[in-house]
Amino acid sequence: MSAGAIELALRLPWGERVLEAHGVVRLGLVGPSGIGKSTALRAIAGVERRVSGRIVLGETVWQDSASHRFVRPELRRVGWVPQDARLFPHVDVAANVGWTNAAHDELRAAVTRALGVDGLGARRPRHLSGGERQRVALARALLARPSVLLLDEPFTALDRNLRAQVIAFVAGHVRAHGIPLVVVSHDERDLGELVDHVVELK
Amino acid sequence: MPGVDAIDPGAAIALSLWVATWCTVLGAPPAIALGWVLARREFLGKAWLSALVLTPMVLPPVVTGLVLLRIFGRRGVVGPWLGAIGIEIAFTPAAALIAAIVVGFPLFVLSARAAFVAVDPGYDELAATLGDGPARRFWRVTLPLAGPGLVGGALLMFARSLGEFGATIVLAGNSDDTRTIALAIYSLLERPGGQDQAWSLAWASVVISLVALLGYEWFIRRQRRRLELQ
């Protein structure tokens, strides 16, 4: 399956920093913390209004400040994994993972098993470790059948073995399902297997 | 002669419960909506809207009663219009209900606003990216997370309206039809030998308040277990 290309031309707040990427399907963003990498992901997700510029996914224009176009986040349907995982605290892991009810049972079983969260269904987010939370959030994003996957430092809480496994799974999954990808990381080593283009913000 | 007729404590308890329950039920949707708007939206005149709604909380209730009488009285602002279609408000049980709503409403709105402010808007954002529209996000995310604070607000409004006296006696009067527990105790204290009955009504209000407070505690505990915050 081929994935839609991402086109970005964003002016990030705090200074005159510009993020540009054209025709990239799997994009990595690196740079020191506080430079606006997470803000760029939020802009792509559609929950950040302070960023002006242009965001296009495949044929669809999500934002074009010049023509005042802004597609609401619920219509973009991205798979966003913020740094804090942000699992809904009032429901259990199963309800978090199945929040969108967008994936059929086999896909759900395959993804939760591959990420090692299939046994956590009845647990509350409060009682998960940091690494478990990241993997549950990843499962929730993938099972939303997203138009693009947005990962914000998603592997930081995983030990080295697990990290390699999860990265390999995500890399395979997005390629098999044709899901474009934007990954933010401070560690370029995480990106090699996942992306085909890296932009450094500085 | 007014005031010498027998006072029915059962009727007073029933009326107080009726007023407090309905004022909370009727007040909940607008209080929740207003609390959300004040917590999450910026607009012109927000400070004025907030002040207007909260005013009855700081005014002496008697003054609130006077203003309401000026509005709903037979020669008031909307009273004659309502009278023309056969609706009397002043000095009816409905007046006791309106007085209780106006006086208790600010407490619910304040609690609701605080409850919504305390909910991290990040969850709403995340639900949006997962395809939930504004109404669905409110229902699935914001409302359940604000739940305990909202129930607290409902309890405050219920309790405040149960004890409402000043605005009620001005707008509803102190007749057989409008005598709540507070008004009945006031009447009983004015007549010889009324002390005992006054005390039995006082005990009744203690019991009602305790039941409400224990119900609130039960709800908070259940909610905490669900969230497992501790």
Side-chain angles (χ1 to χ4, degrees):
Chain A
M1 230 188 279
S2 71
I6 302 159
E7 185 195 323
L8 298 175
L10 296 175
R11 251 182 316 282
L12 300 171
W14 310 297
E16 295 296 295
R17 216 163 279 118
V18 174
L19 165 60
E20 292 220 37
H22 298 282
V24 184
V25 176
R26 286 171 286 269
L27 174 68
L29 289 179
V30 296
S33 62
I35 197 125
K37 303 188 297 289
S38 297
T39 309
L41 277 198
R42 290 173 53 80
I44 300 170
V47 295
E48 184 58 72
R49 295 267 187 168
R50 291 172 300 173
V51 171
S52 63
R54 194 172 149 82
I55 301 170
V56 185
L57 184 83
E59 306 287 300
T60 317
V61 180
W62 276 351
Q63 179 175 345
D64 185 27
S65 300
S67 62
H68 300 284
R69 183 173 171 81
F70 189 93
V71 175
R72 282 177 285 133
E74 59 264 37
L75 301 175
R76 300 187 188 191
R77 304 210 56 153
V78 302
W80 178 36
V81 181
Q83 225 172 335
D84 61 2
R86 210 168 296 176
L87 302 177
F88 298 113
H90 58 300
V91 294
D92 60 18
V93 167
N96 267 284
V97 166
W99 188 263
T100 53
N101 220 359
H104 49 79
D105 290 347
E106 294 112 85
L107 184 64
R108 182 197 281 223
V111 168
T112 52
R113 201 177 325 111
L115 291 172
V117 300
D118 48 341
L120 302 175
R123 302 264 292 277
R124 295 282 163 163
R126 181 83 189 170
H127 292 310
L128 302 179
S129 72
E132 285 170 331
R133 263 178 236 163
Q134 284 187 331
R135 284 177 284 134
V136 171
L138 200 50
R140 177 177 65 182
L142 289 176
L143 292 175
R145 307 184 64 102
S147 53
V148 57
L149 189 62
L150 307 174
L151 307 180
D152 198 346
E153 306 273 10
F155 314 117
T156 46
L158 306 178
D159 64 57
R160 199 184 307 163
N161 271 338
L162 202 51
R163 181 186 285 226
Q165 273 177 40
V166 169
I167 289 176
F169 169 71
V170 172
H173 186 92
V174 295
R175 280 173 175 81
H177 291 82
I179 303 170
L181 175 71
V182 182
V183 190
V184 161
S185 181
H186 64 275
D187 188 350
E188 220 165 321
R189 283 170 301 177
D190 282 352
L191 297 177
E193 203 177 331
L194 280 169
V195 305
D196 28 50
H197 184 70
V198 175
V199 171
E200 189 181 358
L201 284 170
K202 52 187 166 192
Chain B
M1 233 169 35
V4 294
D5 47 327
I7 286 173
D8 180 354
I13 293 171
L15 180 63
S16 276
L17 284 175
W18 180 83
V19 165
T21 304
W22 276 106
C23 101
T24 309
V25 168
L26 294 174
I32 290 170
L34 203 55
W36 183 85
V37 166
L38 291 173
R40 289 284 166 90
R41 287 280 177 269
E42 292 302 326
F43 52 92
L44 202 68
K46 177 172 163 177
W48 283 98
L49 175 67
S50 168
L52 184 73
V53 173
L54 300 185
T55 302
M57 195 174 63
V58 289
L59 278 181
V62 174
V63 175
T64 303
L66 271 177
V67 174
L68 290 175
L69 195 60
R70 188 78 192 78
I71 295 170
F72 291 109
R74 212 166 275 173
R75 269 168 294 175
V77 182
V78 295
W81 297 75
L82 291 171
I85 53 170
I87 299 174
E88 290 285 339
I89 298 287
F91 310 112
T92 67
L97 182 58
I98 289 175
I101 288 177
V102 172
V103 174
F105 191 64
L107 294 165
F108 203 155
V109 173
L110 269 188
S111 307
R113 181 182 187 169
F116 286 126
V117 165
V119 174
D120 182 349
Y123 295 118
D124 184 77
E125 285 178 346
L126 202 121
T129 65
L130 291 172
D132 292 346
R136 214 169 144 72
R137 300 202 293 272
F138 180 77
W139 192 247
R140 290 182 90 185
V141 178
T142 310
L143 195 64
L145 289 175
L150 297 178
V151 173
L155 179 79
L156 279 177
M157 184 167 179
F158 181 86
R160 180 64 189 83
S161 57
L162 202 60
E164 207 334 273
F165 182 82
T168 311
I169 203 165
V170 175
L171 186 66
N174 189 358
S175 72
D176 284 349
D177 283 346
T178 63
R179 198 171 287 126
T180 59
I181 293 177
L183 296 185
I185 290 176
Y186 171 72
S187 300
L188 286 165
L189 288 177
E190 291 226 300
R191 59 180 65 178
Q195 291 266 351
D196 287 351
Q197 265 195 318
W199 269 107
S200 58
L201 280 175
W203 278 113
S205 46
V206 169
V207 169
I208 295 170
S209 310
L210 267 181
V211 168
L213 287 170
L214 290 173
Y216 175 67
E217 280 299 319
W218 170 82
F219 176 82
I220 292 297
R221 279 184 195 195
R222 197 190 69 140
Q223 202 66 11
R224 187 168 288 161
R225 263 205 310 279
R226 284 185 59 197
L227 284 178
E228 289 182 303
L229 289 174
Q230 285 185 343

